[in-house]
Amino acid sequence: MKTRNIFRALFVAAALAAVATIAAACAGDDDDSPAATVANTAATATAAHQGMVSALESSCPTVTPAPQLEILDVRARATTNDVTGVFFTVRNGGAADRLVGASVASTLATEAQVHETVTEGASSRMQQVAGIDVPAAGELVLKPGGYHVMLLGVKRPLAEGETIEVTLKFQHAGEKTVQAKVMQIGSSMSGGSMSGGMGGSSMATPTSGMGGGAMATPTSSMGSR
Amino acid sequence: MIPIVRGRRVAALALLALLLAVLPLAAACSGDDGDAKKTPPPAPTYLGVKIEPAPQMPDAVLTSTSGQPFDLRKDSKAPLTLVYLGYTHCPDVCPTHMYDVSRALRALPQETQDKVQLLFVTTDPARDTPQALREWLDHFDKRFEGLVGTDEQVAAIQAQLGMPPSKKTDLGNGNYAVSHAAYVLAYTQDGFAHLVYPSGMTQEEWKHDIPLLVKEGYQE
């Protein structure tokens, strides 16, 4: 008899907490509101109802958990002409986001575009993209052979050692202004670790820059004797 | 005085080298030691990617960064000639590739370095003047040669190499990107490129293959 009552009480508490959470979540994106705090506390207290909450939450269209972006290792190449590439890593501790653009002061360059390098068959080309996804609780790495922010119409030579200001635009997190360190033009932009691609296991799939025409049968000589 | 000292030093080094060469031979001949293998040495294992059929050096006369004519077949005499087609407005794969080759090369013995020539053929002759190429290449290695031809010559070279022709992508405001193959072709003394080195080849990988190709050419 007693046990049954406890179960019933727990169920009611769980249901109430769930409803409170939904209400708070749907009310707006103001995380500091007392309702949200109460709901979150209640939610933490009654772990038993989490399944119910998430099931209900998915039906609430206004829930937009925030991305938590950290932009690291921002670097650009010194120039000998009027273009340069900017490379960096976006570390995200929160919900998914999307890099949708970039800009720089008009005194620095005419334009900043988000680019991707595409390799099809034996040909690599660079093209502008509308955006690049930043995965939830993950990383987006911009490096040679993949993505970069390209500065076009650079108005003055960029010298090794200086820093330039670049503003990155994210769909949810908004604008983030970062300082890019200008590296020697002849310097690896691949970042610290081996990220170039042709090492280790990727050796078995030499797809980059291969295929087509005389390159029709590029067999890796790895291991051949 | 100095040349004599040098001469002596060279003689001493030669003697040392001879002794070092003879010693292992003597050891190898002396024994019926079970460890001695009688099979011929295996061909080296390359880290570059083998391509078949291996393209021949393209037949074209371009202009070097010093403004002189450069005949790809006649003027590429080094035991190892690395050929890359790219452009200086390339923010991404071209400089990375050139950087890695230049760094690997610098880490090798001088006599190996002297046997390697790098030819950078621009796929963007409209913007890459010999002067612009020279300035750009100097950031990597002053010995790298830049070559400029007409759009038609570049297209003919690409056809001979089995590469698709370069295409321009409009980036607005008069800016454009140029497509190109993202690998370095390694021509050995036989005049063929049996191996290519795609984007992302590391300096360590270059350092492994360059001495092999310089020393013995490509071994099947």
Side-chain angles (χ1 to χ4, degrees):
Chain A
M1 222 13 204
K2 252 187 180 175
T3 337
R4 216 175 265 170
N5 280 340
I6 288 166
F7 274 128
R8 188 181 293 173
L10 270 175
F11 178 76
V12 171
L16 279 174
V19 170
T21 310
I22 311 304
C26 291
D29 32 22
D30 185 2
D31 284 340
D32 294 333
S33 73
T37 313
V38 170
N40 286 340
T41 314
T44 320
T46 57
H49 76 288
Q50 268 178 359
M52 191 197 295
V53 172
S54 52
L56 285 166
E57 258 180 357
S58 62
S59 65
C60 169
T62 57
V63 174
T64 48
Q68 287 168 11
L69 306 183
E70 197 186 349
I71 296 150
L72 310 162
D73 207 14
V74 193
R75 58 235 189 271
R77 258 185 235 282
T79 54
T80 64
N81 50 41
D82 64 346
V83 297
T84 192
V86 182
F87 303 86
F88 50 89
T89 295
V90 183
R91 190 170 290 164
N92 186 7
D97 205 338
R98 191 168 161 81
L99 175 68
V100 291
S103 62
V104 291
S106 57
T107 47
L108 178 65
T110 317
E111 205 181 343
Q113 299 179 351
V114 181
H115 281 184
E116 111 179 279
T117 298
V118 184
T119 300
E120 280 165 357
S123 182
S124 277
R125 67 191 154 84
M126 187 171 81
Q127 64 189 24
Q128 198 173 355
V129 291
I132 319 169
D133 288 332
V134 183
E139 270 187 359
L140 164 67
V141 181
L142 283 82
K143 64 177 185 194
Y147 295 106
H148 60 265
V149 167
M150 184 155 174
L151 306 187
L152 299 148
V154 177
K155 307 233 165 117
R156 59 177 177 83
L158 302 182
E160 183 187 350
E162 68 170 305
T163 53
I164 55 170
E165 204 171 80
V166 181
T167 300
L168 307 174
K169 288 170 202 153
F170 294 91
Q171 194 168 15
H172 300 299
E175 295 195 346
K176 303 256 179 202
T177 297
V178 293
Q179 303 294 322
K181 194 178 174 200
V182 178
M183 315 285 279
Q184 193 195 340
I185 182 170
S187 75
S188 176
M189 289 282 157
S190 311
S193 61
M194 201 342 258
S195 47
M198 270 309 286
S201 59
S202 58
M203 194 73 74
T205 54
T207 50
S208 58
M210 304 302 301
M215 310 297 170
T217 53
T219 50
S220 170
S221 66
M222 189 61 188
S224 68
R225 293 248 141 177
Chain B
M1 206 49 199
I2 290 167
I4 295 168
V5 173
R6 265 203 192 146
R8 273 189 195 159
R9 196 176 286 169
V10 168
L13 279 173
L15 190 66
L16 184 67
L18 192 68
L19 279 173
L20 285 173
V22 168
L23 277 175
L25 278 180
C29 293
S30 72
D32 22 32
D33 165 341
D35 286 338
K37 298 257 166 73
K38 295 204 170 148
T39 47
T45 299
Y46 302 105
L47 300 179
V49 179
K50 186 178 168 153
I51 52 167
E52 285 174 313
Q56 200 181 353
M57 182 66 85
D59 187 9
V61 181
L62 305 171
T63 304
S64 73
T65 53
S66 57
Q68 300 301 308
F70 190 100
D71 186 322
L72 281 181
R73 285 195 179 162
K74 288 183 189 147
D75 295 330
S76 56
K77 298 233 182 278
L80 177 62
T81 305
L82 304 174
V83 175
Y84 189 79
L85 279 77
Y87 67 117
T88 71
H89 282 65
C90 164
D92 185 334
V93 291
C94 309
T96 307
H97 236 348
M98 292 304 104
Y99 170 77
D100 286 328
V101 182
S102 68
R103 282 303 156 109
L105 208 52
R106 251 179 264 175
L108 293 170
Q110 187 65 46
E111 69 166 293
T112 306
Q113 296 186 36
D114 292 344
K115 290 177 180 153
V116 182
Q117 184 177 36
L118 184 136
L119 305 176
F120 185 95
V121 179
T122 179
T123 54
D124 185 15
R127 289 185 295 193
D128 286 341
T129 60
Q131 295 76 11
L133 266 179
R134 186 69 270 149
E135 194 192 345
W136 188 78
L137 287 169
D138 280 352
H139 283 277
F140 305 102
D141 193 318
K142 291 185 190 301
R143 296 168 295 185
F144 287 2
E145 185 58 88
L147 299 172
V148 184
T150 62
D151 283 329
E152 293 71 29
Q153 279 181 307
V154 173
I157 289 169
Q158 287 168 325
Q160 289 180 59
L161 295 175
M163 294 172 175
S166 283
K167 278 187 191 150
K168 288 181 184 176
T169 305
D170 185 17
L171 298 174
N173 292 323
N175 294 300
Y176 57 88
V178 182
S179 68
H180 61 92
Y183 51 80
V184 174
L185 296 123
Y187 284 93
T188 38
Q189 257 174 334
D190 60 358
F192 288 90
H194 301 274
L195 299 168
V196 298
Y197 294 82
S199 253
M201 202 44 115
T202 65
Q203 291 171 40
E204 288 309 314
E205 288 162 340
W206 278 114
K207 279 191 263 181
H208 175 271
D209 276 19
I210 289 174
L212 290 174
L213 295 172
V214 161
K215 206 173 154 195
E216 298 172 27
Y218 175 76
Q219 304 285 318
E220 200 63 65

